[in-house]
């Protein structure tokens, strides 16, 4: 399994200690970028990602929840991102998504497509041969600490079935409400990468990593 802790939930007053624990225990670092328009919340800009780049060699997994993903893909790419995932719902059409996927690849980054809980999974099937990551939202994007939506398991199964039937290679990642009580079922549904925010950062982080690893 790939664990991608969401630094939305990090305690920034303890940055040094927490980044050291991430460097030892995490596979990727998940970076939730919110612009106050696409979602009603604002998080970080590229300057903050640069600080992570200087502090870690882990893959920086940027999740753009913004109205203008092309602009943000550029600036986060320059700041050191390794992967840029944007939302299908920003464009609501496949052609614009394909163009941006190509642009992200031209910047030598992995490209990902994400869908909100209300978007039928079949909508993005025509994009899956082009992406490196498919990020399935298991909460409404915008805030950390929400409860996992159980219907996401069937959605994950449908995507992984399509992936198997078409011999595709993207990584299926899930985001929202992941914890040690649902991770096993999530992984059984074909998900490979778990984003976890509040679960990882609340309490003893090393124990939390170990509890999640046991769910494999
Ligand atoms: C929600 C974000 C998530 C979130 C995950 O908009 O995309 O990455 O921070 O946090 P938890 O694990 O607390 O649900
Ligand atoms: Zn996210």
């Amino acid at each position: 399994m790939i664990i991608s802790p969401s630094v939305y939930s990090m305690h920034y007053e303890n940055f040094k200690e927490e980044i050291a624990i991430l460097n030892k225990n995490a596979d990727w670092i998940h970076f939730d970028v919110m612009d106050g328009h696409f979602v009603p919340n604002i998080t970080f800009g590229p300057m903050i990602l640069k600080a992570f780049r200087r502090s870690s060699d882990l893959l920086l997994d940027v999740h753009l929840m913004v109205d203008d993903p092309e602009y943000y893909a550029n600036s986060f790419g320059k700041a050191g991102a390794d992967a840029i995932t944007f939302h299908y719902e920003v464009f609501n059409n496949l052609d614009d998504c394909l163009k941006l996927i190509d642009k992200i690849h031209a910047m030598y980054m992995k490209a990902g497509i994400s869908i909100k809980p209300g978007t039928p999974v079949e909508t993005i099937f025509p994009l899956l041969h082009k992406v490196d990551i498919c990020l399935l939202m298991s909460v409404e994007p915008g805030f950390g600490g929400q409860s996992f939506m159980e219907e996401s398991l069937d959605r994950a199964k449908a995507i992984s079935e399509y992936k198997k039937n078409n011999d595709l290679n993207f990584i299926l990642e899930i985001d929202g409400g992941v914890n040690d009580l649902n991770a096993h079922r999530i992984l059984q549904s074909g998900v490979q990468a778990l984003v976890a925010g509040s679960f990882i950062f609340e309490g003893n982080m090393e124990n939390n990593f170990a509890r999640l690893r046991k769910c494999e």
Side-chain angles (χ1 to χ4, degrees), residues 11 34 41 73 127 141 152 185 190:
H11 305 93
M34 308 184 188
N41 195 5
L127 300 173
S152 312
R185 284 177 294 133

Side-chain angles (χ1 to χ4, degrees), residues 16 34 38-39 44 51 64 70 74 87 92 97-98 102 115 123 126 129 145 151 168 175 193:
K16 268 202 167 163
M34 308 184 188
F38 184 73
V39 290
F44 348 83
L64 296 180
E70 185 174 346
N74 254 307
H87 272 266
N92 277 314
C97 289
L98 286 169
D102 283 343
I115 47 169
T123 317
H129 66 290
E151 55 269 40
L168 300 178
D175 187 1

Side-chain angles (χ1 to χ4, degrees), residues 22-183:
L22 294 185
N23 282 338
K24 256 197 238 149
N25 295 275
D27 302 289
W28 295 357
I29 294 179
H30 187 80
F31 220 80
D32 285 308
V33 178
M34 308 184 188
D35 67 351
H37 290 274
F38 184 73
V39 290
N41 195 5
I42 297 179
T43 54
F44 348 83
M47 297 282 290
I48 304 291
L49 184 120
K50 262 192 198 167
F52 278 88
R53 182 72 300 160
R54 289 193 297 268
S55 313
S56 180
D57 293 326
L58 296 178
L59 183 146
L60 298 180
D61 168 33
V62 173
H63 175 195
L64 296 180
M65 287 161 273
V66 302
D67 274 348
D68 187 352
E70 185 174 346
Y71 173 78
Y72 282 78
N74 254 307
S75 49
F76 279 91
K78 283 185 195 138
D82 299 295
I84 299 278
T85 295
F86 63 95
H87 272 266
Y88 171 79
E89 296 85 0
V90 181
F91 297 119
N92 277 314
N93 85 73
L94 296 169
D95 277 352
D96 287 334
C97 289
L98 286 169
K99 278 185 203 145
L100 184 51
I101 291 165
D102 283 343
K103 285 183 184 159
I104 294 169
H105 281 150
M107 291 185 270
Y108 302 104
M109 293 185 284
K110 293 187 192 302
I113 191 74
S114 183
I115 47 169
K116 297 202 232 180
T119 302
V121 290
E122 300 76 24
T123 317
I124 54 158
F125 282 178
L127 300 173
L128 294 178
H129 66 290
K130 292 281 271 184
V131 294
D132 307 288
I133 297 167
C134 173
L135 179 65
L136 180 65
M137 293 306 299
S138 40
V139 297
E140 273 312 320
F143 298 91
Q146 304 181 70
S147 302
F148 181 79
M149 296 169 75
E150 288 293 325
E151 55 269 40
S152 312
L153 295 173
D154 282 340
R155 288 162 61 75
K157 279 180 201 153
I159 296 171
S160 69
E161 189 78 355
Y162 181 87
K163 177 180 164 181
K164 218 187 283 161
N165 293 341
N166 292 278
D167 216 5
L168 300 178
N169 281 319
F170 64 87
I171 288 174
L172 178 55
E173 183 177 26
I174 203 158
D175 187 1
V178 173
N179 58 41
D180 60 342
L181 300 175
N182 54 31

Side-chain angles (χ1 to χ4, degrees), residues 191-203:
V191 170
Q192 295 143 286
L194 305 174
V195 174
S198 35
F199 179 76
I200 290 292
F201 289 97
E202 291 318 312

